[in-house]
């Protein structure tokens, strides 16, 4: 049995509490929220759960093993750090922290105290992403060419972060999970129109071996779109997350180049074969993810979406934000292990900027 305290019961918190309450090996001991209206909603939905405005009450409670941090991004670090220092495992919302230094510190504390960190990268637990991962592992698409995602809708405007920090963590965590390589560089452009935070942004990530990823995130779209194209040498797929039944469609389409008389006489052959829609599991991703977190605690495993996965996403967000601030300047990730300055002191290097990856 793992006993939970949850902090934050705004928009996303109720989904966490509901799913935790449905897990057999879990007891939700207490929910903390500063807002009286949120506390009233907890009392109504979960009359058996203790409700408090004081996070310290969760910390001093010896019967709480793990804390779920479901509050705005800028509060994640303080709350997660306090919880780890009190010997509690933490489940932290995406994005993990506001910067890499905070993420690294939390990872260190957890390692020292032998505690688990899981970052809520919910999409990794969807049937669609799990299917795409298997297709890539089985080499069904062939050599990967590109990942191109459109994640747009009207709102919800966030007060503390721009659209990159709000919506792009989903794609960045999926990219981190699907693409085995570390990105080399990023370009991001965007614009703020309403509340001082960018509400429209376009991010391009360059990977080794000519793999490219593009993400379009937008809070100002008249329609909701959740469509990702993934192109490979052998096959291509379209993942439309708004489709109820056929979320993924795989196309046996591609191009084949042959050269008959040197490079100036290229022959491009187009292949247009069948399309099929594979079966995709329909279980609620958050439930599978929280069950996995509980299993990791009970069996002392390190989750694959641990603090390090959260840190990798934060590094990509920081680099994208840096590029955005410089109106689309290319920002390089330094090779892993290289001695480079921290992102806060990124150095302009000719046409780009180096950021520690
Ligand atoms: N995984 C997903 O798909 C997904 C979806 C939506 C939001 N999120 C993430 O969830 C987090 C919360 O987002 P939201 O939309 O629910 O925000 P929200 O503003 O609707 O709710 C946050 C709640 O936290 C409370 N709170 C803030 N600071 C607190 C503190 N120090 N102590 C106690 N209570 C505190 C607020 O009163 C509020 O009720 C964000 O990190 C966001 O990125 C994730």
């Amino acid at each position: 049995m793992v006993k939970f305290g949850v902090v934050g019961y705004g928009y996303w918190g109720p989904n966490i509490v509901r799913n935790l309450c449905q897990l057999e090996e879990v007891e939700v001991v207490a929910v903390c929220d500063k807002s009286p209206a949120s506390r009233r909603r907890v009392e109504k939905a979960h009359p058996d759960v203790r409700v408090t405005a004081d996070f310290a009450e969760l910390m001093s409670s010896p019967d709480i093993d793990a804390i779920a941090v479901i509050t705005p991004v800028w509060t994640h670090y303080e709350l997660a750090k306090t919880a780890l220092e009190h010997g509690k495992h933490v489940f932290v919302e995406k994005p993990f922290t506001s910067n890499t230094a905070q993420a690294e510190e939390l990872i260190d504390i957890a390692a020292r105290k032998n505690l688990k960190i899981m970052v809520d990268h919910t999409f990794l637990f969807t049937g669609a992403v799990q299917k795409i991962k298997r297709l890539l592992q089985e080499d069904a698409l062939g050599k990967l060419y590109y990942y191109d995602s459109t994640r747009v809708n009207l709102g919800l405007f966030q007060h503390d972060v721009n659209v990159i920090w709000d919506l792009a963590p989903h794609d960045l965590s999926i990219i981190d999970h699907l693409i085995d390589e570390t990105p080399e560089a990023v370009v991001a452009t965007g614009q703020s129109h309403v509340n001082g935070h960018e509400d429209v942004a376009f991010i391009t990530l360059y990977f080794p071996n000519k793999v490219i990823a593009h993400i379009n995130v937008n809070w100002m779209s008249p329609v909701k779109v959740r469509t990702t194209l993934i192109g490979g040498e052998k096959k291509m797929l379209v993942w439309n997350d708004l489709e109820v039944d056929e979320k993924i469609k795989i196309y046996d389409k591609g191009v084949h180049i042959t050269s008959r008389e040197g490079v100036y006489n290229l022959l491009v052959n187009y292949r247009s074969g069948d399309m099929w829609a594979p079966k995709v599991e329909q279980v609620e991703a958050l439930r599978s993810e929280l069950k996995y977190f509980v299993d990791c605690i009970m069996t002392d495993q390190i989750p694959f979406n641990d603090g390090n996965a959260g840190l990798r996403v934060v590094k990509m967000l920081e680099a994208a934000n840096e590029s955005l601030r410089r109106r689309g300047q290319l920002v390089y990730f330094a090779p892993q292990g290289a001695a480079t300055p921290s992102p806060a002191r990124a150095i302009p290097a000719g046409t780009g900027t180096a950021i520690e990856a």
Side-chain angles (χ1 to χ4, degrees):
M1 174 70 73
V2 179
K3 296 186 175 178
F4 272 85
V6 178
V7 56
Y9 197 85
Y11 164 69
W12 194 241
N15 294 323
I16 303 290
V17 176
R18 171 177 55 79
N19 276 287
L20 283 173
C21 286
Q22 284 169 5
L23 293 176
E24 265 179 29
E25 54 282 80
V26 166
E27 184 186 335
V28 178
V29 175
V31 174
C32 165
D33 200 298
K34 286 198 300 200
S35 139
S38 293
R39 293 200 298 278
R40 277 197 298 276
R41 287 194 296 130
V42 188
E43 281 159 358
K44 190 141 191 253
H46 303 279
D48 301 337
V49 171
R50 207 162 78 217
V51 183
T52 175
D54 185 7
F55 187 59
E57 226 182 275
L58 269 55
M59 293 300 97
S60 59
S61 174
D63 56 347
I64 291 180
D65 310 302
I67 297 288
V69 178
I70 323 296
T71 50
V73 182
W74 63 274
T75 64
H76 292 179
Y77 163 73
E78 277 300 332
L79 293 169
K81 184 178 172 187
T82 308
L84 289 168
E85 281 170 344
H86 282 80
K88 309 200 187 287
H89 306 284
V90 290
F91 179 89
V92 185
E93 260 321 312
K94 62 83 194 161
F96 183 23
T97 53
S98 303
N99 60 55
T100 54
Q102 293 177 346
E104 282 164 353
E105 190 185 337
L106 296 183
I107 291 167
D108 279 354
I109 300 173
R112 259 191 288 115
K113 293 185 153 264
N114 196 23
L115 293 166
K116 308 287 174 224
I117 296 177
M118 179 176 282
V119 181
D120 184 8
H121 291 162
T122 325
F123 274 92
L124 307 190
F125 294 82
T126 58
V129 171
Q130 288 173 347
K131 183 63 160 187
I132 295 168
K133 176 84 181 164
R134 270 198 302 280
L135 290 167
L136 289 169
Q137 282 170 336
E138 292 161 2
D139 199 32
L141 305 185
K143 180 180 149 13
L144 184 63
Y145 284 163
Y146 66 84
Y147 174 104
D148 184 10
S149 162
T150 305
R151 188 174 296 278
V152 304
N153 43 258
L154 195 61
L156 301 167
F157 273 76
Q158 302 294 311
H159 306 291
D160 58 334
V161 290
N162 64 16
V163 72
I164 289 188
W165 283 78
D166 181 40
L167 292 182
H170 294 308
D171 289 293
L172 296 174
S173 64
I174 296 167
I175 286 168
D176 177 66
H177 187 59
L178 295 181
I179 302 177
D180 290 333
E181 311 272 8
T182 307
E184 292 174 332
V186 61
V187 168
T189 52
Q191 196 55 266
S192 60
H193 302 93
V194 179
N195 71 345
H197 294 299
E198 288 79 11
D199 39 54
V200 180
F202 309 97
I203 306 168
T204 303
L205 285 152
Y206 294 92
F207 287 83
N209 302 315
K210 297 188 182 175
V211 177
I212 192 162
H214 180 256
I215 304 166
N216 169 359
V217 281
N218 186 344
W219 285 329
M220 301 270 274
S221 162
V223 290
K224 181 170 178 172
V225 182
R226 294 285 186 271
T227 302
T228 304
L229 301 174
I230 299 181
E233 191 175 13
K234 291 193 215 160
K235 297 201 172 57
M236 301 178 185
L237 71 76
V238 182
W239 162 30
N240 182 352
D241 204 45
L242 302 184
E243 280 274 347
V244 179
D245 292 324
E246 299 183 346
K247 284 189 186 291
I248 296 179
K249 290 184 177 145
I250 303 172
Y251 292 83
D252 184 10
K253 289 192 181 191
V255 292
H256 179 60
I257 308 279
T258 50
S259 166
R260 280 203 306 199
E261 294 146 29
V263 284
Y264 297 108
N265 265 330
L266 292 180
L267 274 185
V268 181
N269 297 310
Y270 296 93
R271 190 183 67 258
S272 188
D274 292 341
M275 181 279 286
W276 76 98
K279 186 173 177 304
V280 167
E281 284 296 327
Q282 296 279 19
V283 186
E284 187 175 351
L286 201 48
R287 189 188 167 113
S288 311
E289 185 179 21
L290 289 165
K291 166 97 178 61
Y292 174 54
F293 182 48
V294 170
D295 289 348
C296 286
I297 292 172
M298 292 187 10
T299 59
D300 195 18
Q301 287 175 65
I302 297 174
F304 67 85
N305 53 328
D306 64 353
N308 286 301
L311 170 63
R312 292 194 295 275
V313 169
V314 169
K315 280 181 176 177
M316 290 191 259
L317 291 168
E318 259 185 351
N321 229 48
E322 178 68 16
S323 175
L324 179 81
R325 210 174 53 77
R326 294 164 181 260
R327 298 199 112 185
Q329 190 180 334
L330 192 67
V331 170
Y332 288 98
F333 296 88
Q336 249 164 356
T340 49
S342 72
R345 292 179 290 115
I347 39 162
T351 55
T353 300
I355 284 199
E356 192 174 347

